[in-house]
Amino acid sequence: QLQASGGGLVQAGGSLRLSCAASGSILGINDMAWYRQAPGKQRDLVASITGGGRTNYADSVKGRFTISRDNAKKTVYLQMISLKPEDTAVYYCYAKCTTGRGLWYDYWGQGTQVTVSS
């Protein structure tokens, strides 16, 4: 399973760091990512990182958000700076994981609320 943490309430211009750790029977992790979903909107990709460390960002967060991972800790992070009210959403972590036998599955975290006040 994936456990996300680090959300909260912050003023515009502030910073937050999200974390998402994999646990349980997960033996290996390939791609990891953060998505977000604002009220009444679809879930959108914010940032992703491959097993090799290649990153990709939504245009709206480039230069403000940084995704990283610690493979030893099976954890993905999202450092967010210069936050804007439009960044307000529930943030979900994602990972493609294997529990062995060559089978890979999509795992989702439970979501963590980020609220940016103006």
Side-chain angles (χ1 to χ4, degrees), residues 38-91:
K41 296 188 176 181
Q42 66 182 18
R43 187 176 297 187
D44 292 325
L45 176 68
V46 175
S48 64
I49 184 167
T50 67
R54 185 180 307 139
T55 59
N56 179 59
Y57 297 92
D59 288 342
S60 60
V61 305
K62 284 181 180 177
R64 300 187 299 120
F65 291 10
T66 302
I67 190 170
S68 61
R69 62 191 289 168
D70 184 327
N71 292 328
K73 295 182 178 179
K74 298 180 183 177
T75 300
V76 62
Y77 305 96
L78 187 68
Q79 178 67 51
M80 305 183 290
I81 65 171
S82 303
L83 282 161
K84 305 175 181 180
E86 51 264 43
D87 294 319
T88 295
V90 177
Y91 284 69

Side-chain angles (χ1 to χ4, degrees), residues 15-28:
S15 302
L16 282 175
R17 188 192 194 208
L18 306 183
S19 299
C20 179
S23 62
S25 58
I26 292 173
L27 299 179

Side-chain angles (χ1 to χ4, degrees), residues 1-2 25-26 93-99 105-109:
Q1 63 183 26
L2 300 181
S25 58
I26 292 173
C93 57
Y94 159 87
K96 184 169 289 291
C97 305
T98 181
T99 56
Y105 300 94
D106 294 332
Y107 284 74
W108 290 90

